[in-house]
Amino acid sequence: MSGIYIHIPFCKQACHYCDFHFSTSVKKKGLLVEMLCRELELRKNELPEKEIRTIYFGGGTPSLLEAGELAKIFRTIFENYEVTEDAEITLEANPDDLSEEKIEILAASKINRLSIGVQSFFEEDLKLMNRAHNSGEALESIKLAKQYFDNISIDLIYGIPGMDSERWKENLQTTLELGIPHVSSYALTVEPNTALKKFIEKGKIKPVDDAMAKVHFEILTETLKSAGFEHYEFSNFGKPGYFSQNNTAYWLGKAYLGIGPSAHSYDGISRKWNISNNPLYIKALESNELPLETEELSNTDRYNEYVMIRLRTKFGVSIEEVREKFGAKYKKYLLENAEILLEKELLKNENEILHVTEKGKFLSDGIAADLFFLEE
């Protein structure tokens, strides 16, 4: 199975923490949609496995797409790709876009899963992050969406300056009361060249407190586990039957095609990425040229990526799979370097599969780095 990711690089306004590629000018949105369709046509034979099981609209803000633009993209996909009948088709949406009219349009399309960027149900958090919606719109959009969609995920951010544990608990309680079956939750990260970083440096916003973020993460995992969610990836929690198939395919190393400015693709051997510039992307596709670069991944690159991704998931690092995929040298290296982590109880070995322990969960990226194979 394979997947298609489509990047919609437009937003109403810039969130202070965001470093994704987007533009706040939508003047060329229609033309860019045409070029997305052209890229889909030009790359239709690229995926090693022809069956498409997941389609994901990310951004940016895909909920800015109009009905005709969505229809054009879907028509192109279904004319050029073999999409399974049960394909998961997700669209990321901002609460302020989700009027009942807009939700009806989305429900009438081929979209069967919504990912709503709530981030917080508190006004002060939304203002600090410069979100385009308010707390009332966050609540109302979910209530409306539930009338048309069963498969709904929301994003929540913890570790926000000024957010104490009680406010974080209230965010989670609101989520549970709304009956959301999937939650993606991330610690607020201060990325270079963002407004958030500049505001912290100038003292306008307090620095992110890593210790508080860790407390919030522990509250998150305990609260959702008690409510019947499975913590199937470091930042993702789902009720049975509601795991993100798109994300799961990515974590399992399945091939995917990334369409649009800045979008990445992966075929198991190489990685490709499009230019992060809307005018140059459009110009290239108008000439039927693909504005992308390619990186061939070495065996070590693929091993390190496998370890990094799998340790974040419930699937863990299979010792035997490491030998099969990468060779005996990597298996030996993995076991040698895992030994001290097992002794510290940051890793556990269950049936020859390495998992991060509860003690090590918040340190999973650092644990993965300790297992990376370093070329001499």
Side-chain angles (χ1 to χ4, degrees):
M1 71 182 232
S2 298
I4 296 175
Y5 170 83
I6 300 173
H7 189 78
I8 307 299
F10 300 104
C11 290
K12 289 180 180 176
Q13 64 189 50
C15 298
H16 287 160
Y17 58 88
C18 182
D19 69 341
F20 292 160
H21 170 67
F22 66 92
S23 170
T24 53
S25 171
V26 295
K27 290 179 182 177
K28 293 190 175 181
K29 180 160 64 78
L31 178 56
L32 192 132
V33 167
E34 286 184 30
M35 296 305 106
L36 293 176
C37 292
R38 186 165 297 180
E39 186 184 0
L40 281 163
E41 291 169 349
L42 290 172
R43 301 179 71 185
K44 64 182 180 181
N45 296 317
E46 196 170 303
L47 288 167
E49 293 183 40
K50 301 305 178 186
E51 267 198 345
I52 302 298
R53 295 289 300 276
T54 64
I55 299 170
Y56 193 99
F57 290 83
T61 310
S63 50
L64 290 176
L65 290 173
E66 297 166 16
E69 292 168 338
L70 269 174
K72 183 179 291 187
I73 293 170
F74 278 126
R75 186 164 56 249
T76 304
I77 292 173
F78 279 78
E79 285 176 357
N80 291 278
Y81 296 84
E82 298 174 18
V83 183
T84 62
E85 287 187 11
D86 61 345
E88 177 191 84
I89 304 177
T90 303
L91 180 128
E92 290 182 354
N94 279 357
D96 48 300
D97 293 328
L98 293 179
S99 64
E100 186 158 14
E101 180 185 6
K102 185 57 175 251
I103 293 171
E104 286 177 347
I105 288 170
L106 297 177
S109 74
K110 294 184 181 296
I111 293 159
N112 52 35
R113 183 175 184 269
L114 285 184
S115 176
I116 305 176
V118 171
Q119 316 310 356
S120 175
F121 291 103
F122 286 88
E123 208 65 41
E124 50 265 59
D125 298 332
L126 298 173
K127 287 180 178 177
L128 182 147
M129 293 184 285
N130 200 40
R131 295 292 293 171
H133 68 279
N134 59 45
S135 56
E137 288 170 326
L139 288 167
E140 185 62 20
S141 67
I142 293 170
K143 291 174 182 176
L144 283 172
K146 287 190 66 181
Q147 297 175 29
Y148 296 86
F149 288 89
D150 171 61
N151 199 348
I152 297 174
S153 175
I154 67 168
D155 289 352
L156 292 175
I157 293 180
Y158 57 89
I160 299 170
M163 175 192 276
D164 60 19
S165 292
E166 287 309 309
R167 192 193 299 171
W168 178 233
K169 288 177 183 177
E170 287 185 52
N171 265 326
L172 296 174
Q173 187 56 39
T174 300
T175 300
L176 297 180
E177 289 171 358
L178 288 166
I180 303 299
H182 187 279
V183 176
S184 295
S185 191
Y186 310 91
L188 183 65
T189 304
V190 183
E191 301 289 354
N193 303 316
T194 59
L196 178 62
K197 183 173 176 61
K198 292 173 185 174
F199 290 149
I200 290 174
E201 288 173 346
K202 292 178 180 179
K204 293 183 178 180
I205 294 177
K206 292 180 180 179
V208 171
D209 185 338
D210 291 337
M212 181 57 75
K214 186 174 186 295
V215 171
H216 287 178
F217 177 76
E218 291 167 353
I219 292 170
L220 169 72
T221 55
E222 290 169 10
T223 302
L224 294 186
K225 183 179 179 181
S226 297
F229 286 79
E230 185 169 349
H231 189 189
Y232 70 108
E233 192 270 342
F234 183 83
S235 301
N236 286 271
F237 304 78
K239 290 283 186 75
Y242 289 94
F243 294 179
S244 167
Q245 297 306 307
N246 174 81
N247 292 351
T248 300
Y250 165 70
W251 299 322
L252 291 175
K254 303 297 184 182
Y256 58 90
L257 192 64
I259 301 295
S262 80
H264 284 60
S265 306
Y266 176 70
D267 63 6
I269 299 171
S270 64
R271 191 172 305 288
K272 299 178 181 179
W273 59 93
N274 281 336
I275 191 168
S276 298
N277 182 296
N278 292 0
L280 292 180
Y281 173 85
I282 290 170
K283 184 178 179 181
L285 267 302
E286 283 180 326
S287 301
N288 290 323
E289 296 176 3
L290 294 173
L292 52 76
E293 294 184 50
T294 302
E295 175 191 15
E296 296 296 325
L297 300 176
S298 68
N299 204 35
T300 295
D301 291 333
R302 292 188 293 111
Y303 162 82
N304 289 343
E305 187 166 298
Y306 171 89
V307 168
M308 179 180 68
I309 293 172
R310 287 299 189 92
L311 279 184
R312 291 177 59 94
T313 72
K314 71 167 193 169
F315 310 112
V317 173
S318 166
I319 294 168
E320 184 56 26
E321 194 171 8
V322 165
R323 186 193 66 77
E324 291 174 356
K325 284 177 174 284
F326 312 108
K329 177 176 74 171
Y330 290 87
K331 175 184 174 181
K332 181 174 181 288
Y333 183 89
L334 172 68
L335 291 174
E336 288 174 351
N337 286 271
E339 194 171 331
I340 190 168
L341 297 168
L342 290 163
E343 290 174 4
K344 290 181 178 179
E345 297 183 342
L346 297 173
L347 280 182
K348 57 185 175 181
N349 187 339
E350 295 180 337
N351 301 317
E352 295 302 287
I353 297 177
L354 298 176
H355 294 275
V356 174
T357 63
E358 289 298 321
K359 179 181 173 182
K361 265 188 179 175
F362 201 69
L363 306 169
S364 60
D365 287 348
I367 292 168
D370 289 341
L371 299 176
F372 284 173
F373 191 95
L374 302 177
E375 299 281 10
E376 296 179 0

